[in-house]
Amino acid sequence: MAEHREFLTRRLHSFLGVVPIGIFLIQHLVVNHFAVYGEENFNQAADFMHNLPFRLLLEFVVIYLPILFHAILGVYIVFVARNNTKNYGFFRNWMFVLQRVTGVITFVYLIWHVWETRIAIGSHGADYSLMEGILSNPIMFWFYIIGLVSTVFHFANGLWSFCVTWGITQSPKSQKIVTYATVIVFLALSYVGIRTLITFAYGV
Amino acid sequence: MADKQTVTFIITRQDGPDSAPYKETFNIPYKKNMNVISGLMEIRQNPVNANGEKTTPVQWDMNCLEEVCGACSMVINGTARQSCAALIDQLEQPIRLEPMSTFPVVRDLIVDRDRMFDALKQVKAWIPLDGTHDLGPGPRMPEKKRQWAYELSKCMTCGVCLEACPNVNDKSNFIGPAALSQARLFNAHPTGELNASERLNGLMEDGGIDGCGNAQNCVEVCPKGIPLTTSIAAMNRATNIQAFKNFFGSDHAH
């Protein structure tokens, strides 16, 4: 086993990106969407999430540790690539570069986001007015939009390479169809998230 | 726009493995149906650069001249390909020739592709034979399988897929797409299949299949049209299953 360490860490990296990080991302965006239905609804949902049994343990096992592993190994993966879209401007090569660019943007955004909405506010959970306060600043609004879109892109495109890495899609045809499917995932999750951000920022 | 009477080459040259690269321009007379190699032969006959100075002939590697040996790969106008199949009439001038950057330069356009052969050793891309005595006829192979395996067997270790891959470079130990596909070829063979797990374990070693980042340039640039990304995905599945067998299984051999 030890001689396959690199292989196993890369497979773990691919797996964690979808389970649990991808699943958590979908859940996070959907629960936050309660904001669109009103302040009361959002606070209720946020309270429910905040008061889950074993919350701290869940946060570490499902969110913090997998993301930390994925992010640190991810930065290394970014470092060992030599991007060459200038000479080889194929679609998948651009996706390869964008996957790395959005990964880094997501990492920077997440550090800020976790600090601002989790660590800085202490033991009481985030509520509607906190998000309203952050996002009514246009600079922060656009920072969140960029962070959200690159996170969702990284997840959707990562889903595509997950399917290849795990040998699910082998034929060019199946890989193409999954490309279209991941575009839909990207658009759908972007809508769910951006709609929420607009509500926080503009109250509509 | 291009002067039909002359062909201009800008060649990245290097006198030896450790010397610094430099660019030299050559103007040679145009001939009908020229390819890059016949242009280089013209320079060899009359090694005078565009400034009229006598210089050393440009060195390059070649062999079959019909795109089956893989020796004459170089970077032509930014893209790695076979120089024997690169027709002057289809190239934008000036034609820029560079050695493939993924490999150590021996001299001028000649590179050392040893790392590709080391990669084939890592994945055991051969079929071991038990002695020299007559083993009788080999097992039969389904025709459909033979057809796609034949496509994989066209690999000529030319290195173009490694040059185009963003993950094959001096910062990474990735062995590149060619060897991954060769592991699939020999695992498809009825006799080669007997050692399938050894090749899969070779693919799982450092620098192996996990180095693939799915940029899929390899399949776009392969001069033989080998379905490299299909091979990689198939080997991804096979190595995953092998990894589970290695860990959970009771029999490590298969």
Side-chain angles (χ1 to χ4, degrees):
Chain A
M1 290 301 282
E3 71 267 38
H4 295 158
R5 183 175 294 165
E6 199 181 279
F7 175 83
L8 296 169
T9 47
R10 286 295 295 264
R11 285 296 187 263
L12 183 63
H13 180 259
S14 171
F15 184 74
L16 291 178
V18 177
V19 185
I21 302 172
I23 294 170
F24 164 70
L25 175 69
I26 296 171
Q27 173 265 322
H28 185 50
L29 295 178
V30 170
V31 169
N32 285 357
H33 201 75
F34 269 115
V36 178
Y37 306 145
E39 183 169 347
E40 201 47 48
N41 276 303
F42 177 82
N43 284 341
Q44 219 178 332
D47 270 349
F48 174 79
M49 295 308 293
H50 189 72
N51 294 318
L52 281 177
F54 318 113
R55 193 201 72 230
L56 209 58
L57 183 73
L58 287 174
E59 280 179 335
F60 269 93
V61 174
V62 179
I63 310 174
Y64 302 146
L65 293 178
I67 290 182
L68 218 52
F69 178 87
H70 191 87
I72 291 169
L73 184 56
V75 169
Y76 171 75
I77 293 169
V78 170
F79 172 75
V80 295
R82 273 203 199 284
N83 298 315
N84 55 10
T85 43
K86 192 169 146 271
N87 288 326
Y88 304 96
F90 307 112
F91 171 72
R92 269 293 148 207
N93 199 21
W94 274 107
M95 292 296 111
F96 174 91
V97 173
L98 283 176
Q99 187 69 0
R100 278 143 187 78
V101 170
T102 54
V104 172
I105 294 174
T106 303
F107 191 23
V108 172
Y109 165 76
L110 274 188
I111 292 169
W112 182 274
H113 179 60
V114 171
W115 168 257
E116 194 175 40
T117 62
R118 184 72 191 87
I119 299 166
I121 58 170
S123 61
H124 52 85
D127 61 3
Y128 190 95
S129 58
L130 173 83
M131 296 316 294
E132 196 180 17
I134 293 168
L135 291 163
S136 50
N137 176 351
I139 295 171
M140 288 313 292
F141 176 74
W142 284 106
F143 178 65
Y144 267 70
I145 291 275
I146 292 167
L148 171 85
V149 171
S150 59
T151 308
V152 170
F153 178 93
H154 192 82
F155 170 61
N157 191 47
L159 214 48
W160 180 87
S161 46
F162 175 89
C163 288
V164 178
T165 302
W166 291 93
I168 299 165
T169 50
Q170 299 185 14
S171 65
K173 194 177 175 185
S174 66
Q175 293 184 357
K176 197 171 194 174
I177 288 170
V178 171
T179 301
Y180 296 136
T182 54
V183 170
I184 293 169
V185 170
F186 171 69
L187 293 175
L189 286 180
S190 294
Y191 167 77
V192 175
I194 291 172
R195 184 69 191 85
T196 310
L197 291 179
I198 290 172
T199 301
F200 281 130
Y202 300 104
V204 289
Chain B
M1 102 217 144
D3 183 1
K4 271 285 178 193
Q5 299 307 304
T6 60
V7 182
T8 306
F9 284 103
I10 301 174
I11 301 174
T12 303
R13 306 194 57 181
Q14 188 170 324
D15 293 338
D18 301 319
S19 34
Y22 59 95
K23 283 189 168 57
E24 198 160 32
T25 306
F26 294 90
N27 294 317
I28 56 157
Y30 174 83
K31 279 181 197 160
K32 217 174 157 224
N33 296 332
M34 262 183 135
N35 64 6
V36 166
I37 295 226
S38 65
L40 287 168
M41 286 172 162
E42 203 69 46
I43 295 171
R44 185 165 63 183
Q45 271 180 29
N46 182 26
V48 174
N49 67 23
N51 301 329
E53 298 154 359
K54 202 161 169 52
T55 180
T56 50
V58 178
Q59 304 292 308
W60 77 96
D61 216 351
M62 63 170 173
N63 204 341
C64 74
L65 301 180
E66 54 181 3
E67 210 179 45
V68 291
C69 78
C72 69
S73 311
M74 56 183 74
V75 178
I76 300 169
N77 286 347
T79 313
R81 55 187 294 192
Q82 306 308 123
S83 51
C84 65
L87 301 178
I88 299 293
D89 288 336
Q90 292 167 5
L91 292 170
E92 196 182 315
Q93 289 204 39
I95 298 163
R96 287 169 292 115
L97 303 182
E98 299 157 64
M100 289 196 291
S101 59
T102 303
F103 303 93
V105 174
V106 177
R107 187 174 172 182
D108 292 340
L109 300 169
I110 301 175
V111 294
D112 179 354
R113 288 178 291 130
D114 260 5
R115 61 171 296 172
M116 294 192 75
F117 302 100
D118 292 337
L120 292 174
K121 286 180 205 161
Q122 177 174 334
V123 302
K124 298 186 166 46
W126 62 80
I127 291 170
L129 283 179
D130 185 11
T132 52
H133 56 284
D134 184 8
L135 294 168
R140 286 175 62 83
M141 191 174 186
E143 171 59 16
K144 274 199 170 166
K145 199 179 193 181
R146 185 201 65 78
Q147 281 178 9
W148 64 252
Y150 180 67
E151 295 305 315
L152 306 188
S153 75
K154 288 180 180 172
C155 179
M156 52 193 185
T157 331
C158 69
V160 167
C161 59
L162 273 77
E163 176 71 12
C165 177
N167 273 359
V168 178
N169 57 55
D170 50 338
K171 293 183 288 188
S172 104
N173 57 1
F174 181 37
I175 58 174
L180 309 184
S181 186
Q182 288 304 294
R184 181 177 175 226
L185 169 67
F186 287 97
N187 277 5
H189 189 280
T191 310
E193 210 180 348
L194 299 173
N195 306 81
S197 66
E198 290 171 31
R199 291 187 200 94
L200 295 176
N201 279 310
L203 286 174
M204 286 189 268
E205 279 166 25
D206 287 359
I209 195 162
D210 60 88
C212 173
N214 298 309
Q216 301 205 332
N217 289 344
C218 54
V219 74
E220 301 275 358
V221 298
C222 176
K224 306 313 288 181
I226 297 169
L228 291 161
T229 50
T230 310
S231 284
I232 292 171
M235 289 298 99
N236 271 332
R237 184 188 287 182
T239 47
N240 291 336
I241 293 168
Q242 186 63 43
F244 280 104
K245 280 184 182 170
N246 287 352
F247 187 70
F248 295 106
S250 58
D251 184 358
H252 282 222
H254 292 288

